[in-house]
Amino acid sequence: MDHQNYVTMAEVQDKHWWFRARRAILRRTLARLKLPPAARILDAGCGTGANLRMLTEFGQVWGMEYDQFAIDFANKIPKTTIAHGFLPDDIPFASTTFHLVTVLDVLSCIESDGEAIKALARRLEPGGWLVITAPAFDFLFSSHDRASHHYRRYTISRLIAAVEPSGLEVRFSSYFNA
């Protein structure tokens, strides 16, 4: 992602309607999962930490990110551990498995999305959850996608096709912000 996108995210992530609405949708979705009380949660590609506070409501949170500015900013959020990492080949916290892994608007930035999903699936506890959000519909591809270094946008069927080879079962899919 272009550096300026991280700076802008850091400035607006707590107050902009899009971030707030997405967190509200995610909070409701995560509340339906059968997570243990002290769930271990990995936010893969946490950026500047827009979702980290909300995720701490569900357990102990680790985040991974490759941009140093974003890591430094996210590290200011209490009750989280943030480390440098990159999908699919450099997932930190090597000895830790997770009850929940989130990859929120990150998969489209990874050239080998299927390999990233497989790598994250290997870090899940048995019965764990992988929650993915991704920008939808190629016809909406724009200059913002280019600045965010997106390779693609998704339809539900395209995302399911990327997930299925990992051995994970898709339990719910939907569009939002439509």
Side-chain angles (χ1 to χ4, degrees):
M1 183 176 333
D2 287 354
H3 176 72
Q4 186 55 47
N5 281 14
Y6 285 111
V7 173
T8 301
M9 269 198 308
E11 292 171 355
V12 303
Q13 68 189 18
D14 290 333
K15 56 186 176 238
H16 191 277
W17 71 267
W18 187 88
F19 289 98
R20 293 175 61 166
R22 184 173 75 154
R23 275 193 300 276
I25 292 166
L26 286 167
R27 181 179 285 112
R28 284 193 303 274
T29 300
L30 298 179
R32 291 186 209 125
L33 304 180
K34 303 275 190 248
L35 294 172
R40 291 182 306 279
I41 301 168
L42 173 64
D43 189 9
C46 67
T48 53
N51 301 299
L52 295 175
R53 279 187 189 87
M54 181 269 300
L55 289 172
T56 63
E57 297 170 20
F58 299 96
Q60 185 179 0
V61 177
W62 288 261
M64 62 175 270
E65 178 57 52
Y66 74 90
D67 181 83
Q68 193 59 51
F69 170 82
I71 292 168
D72 293 342
F73 195 87
N75 263 321
K76 297 175 187 172
I77 297 170
K79 301 180 184 177
T80 61
T81 303
I82 314 303
H84 183 271
F86 189 83
L87 290 170
D89 302 318
D90 184 21
I91 301 174
F93 320 115
S95 63
T96 307
T97 56
F98 300 93
H99 300 99
L100 170 65
V101 174
T102 59
V103 57
L104 307 174
D105 289 3
V106 171
L107 202 57
S108 57
C109 303
I110 301 165
E111 190 168 7
S112 53
D113 57 350
E115 292 305 309
I117 293 168
K118 287 177 189 174
L120 293 170
R122 288 190 294 271
R123 300 302 295 277
L124 285 173
E125 282 284 321
W129 296 91
L130 176 64
V131 173
I132 301 170
T133 62
F137 304 120
D138 283 333
F139 70 86
L140 293 174
F141 202 93
S142 69
S143 59
H144 178 73
D145 293 285
R146 285 185 287 284
S148 297
H149 300 179
H150 290 175
Y151 288 94
R152 72 198 71 75
R153 285 175 160 258
Y154 291 87
T155 59
I156 287 175
S157 60
R158 185 178 194 174
L159 188 53
I160 289 172
V163 170
E164 284 181 334
S166 71
L168 296 174
E169 175 188 351
V170 176
R171 302 288 293 278
F172 176 77
S173 59
S174 175
Y175 294 105
F176 69 91
N177 283 356

